[in-house]
Amino acid sequence: MKKNLYAIALSATIILLASCTGNKEQAPAAADNTPKYRAGVEVVFNAFATGNTDGIDSLIDANYVEHSPPPGIEVKGAEGFKKLIKMNHDGFPDNKLTIIDYIESGDMAVVHYNWTGTNTGNMEGMPATNKPFDINGMDLLKFANGKCIEHWGYFEVDKFMQQLGMMPPMPPMSGAPADSAKAK
């Protein structure tokens, strides 16, 4: 009886292992992970750096919605987006946006970027500080019919303002790791 149980258990184990290996010919084809929108995102980043808005109408929808515009500025549609590019380039003519990481899923894309430049021009009605900045940010983009229709953007605003001399550096937080290291 024990020999039969061992034989059954051994057979069941072999069948289970064989079924787990699967048939490679029946495996589904790998999904196409080629980003659909990255080239357009790079064109837009270049437009911010150069001020050249040629081709923007083919990338930004006429009904584009900007969910995080600069304070007091309304950005609607491709025309509003072009004005935003001009305003940015006027304030930071040497600015550069570098993509650190890019993720795309369906009709959404996330861009992690580094933004550098010098404020040598008028910035939203404020005079130039002539100071450089080097910050990081993230954009969340929604697409439809091959064009960007919505944008949410976040960047290191406090660090940006501090580097431009528009805000004093924040004092260290009490109880922060640096403070506890001093106490030891």
Side-chain angles (χ1 to χ4, degrees):
M1 179 78 166
K2 280 187 173 183
K3 285 184 180 181
N4 287 342
L5 287 176
Y6 288 128
I8 291 170
L10 181 60
S11 298
T13 302
I14 291 170
I15 292 169
L16 178 64
L17 289 173
S19 68
C20 289
T21 61
N23 183 343
K24 292 181 182 176
E25 293 176 340
Q26 294 177 351
D32 181 12
N33 291 330
T34 304
K36 294 186 285 189
Y37 306 113
R38 181 167 178 148
V41 169
E42 290 175 358
V43 168
V44 169
F45 273 32
N46 188 56
F48 272 96
T50 65
N52 181 353
T53 59
D54 292 347
I56 291 298
D57 291 316
S58 68
L59 302 169
I60 306 296
D61 191 75
N63 297 313
Y64 168 85
V65 176
E66 175 58 59
H67 293 284
S68 39
I73 296 172
E74 186 175 27
V75 180
K76 287 188 178 179
E79 290 306 313
F81 193 80
K82 288 182 206 178
K83 289 178 185 173
L84 183 63
I85 289 172
K86 181 183 179 340
M87 181 184 74
N88 180 78
H89 191 259
D90 287 350
F92 313 102
D94 69 340
N95 84 108
K96 182 178 180 187
L97 290 149
T98 304
I99 295 174
I100 297 170
D101 203 0
Y102 180 89
I103 302 167
E104 206 173 280
S105 179
D107 65 351
M108 302 291 287
V110 176
V111 186
H112 177 208
Y113 63 88
N114 176 257
W115 184 31
T116 60
T118 310
N119 177 219
T120 57
N122 188 356
M123 183 179 71
E124 299 176 37
M126 296 187 296
T129 64
N130 296 309
K131 294 185 178 183
F133 65 92
D134 183 346
I135 60 170
N136 293 324
M138 295 191 82
D139 289 327
L140 175 62
L141 309 161
K142 184 172 184 176
F143 296 88
N145 301 317
K147 291 185 177 187
C148 185
I149 60 171
E150 293 184 78
H151 169 263
W152 296 261
Y154 306 95
F155 64 90
E156 298 172 305
V157 175
D158 289 348
K159 187 176 178 182
F160 179 70
M161 298 298 279
Q162 290 168 4
Q163 289 178 5
L164 294 181
M166 298 177 161
M167 179 177 156
M170 299 294 288
M173 294 175 28
S174 63
D179 290 344
S180 61
K182 290 178 186 174
K184 289 182 181 180

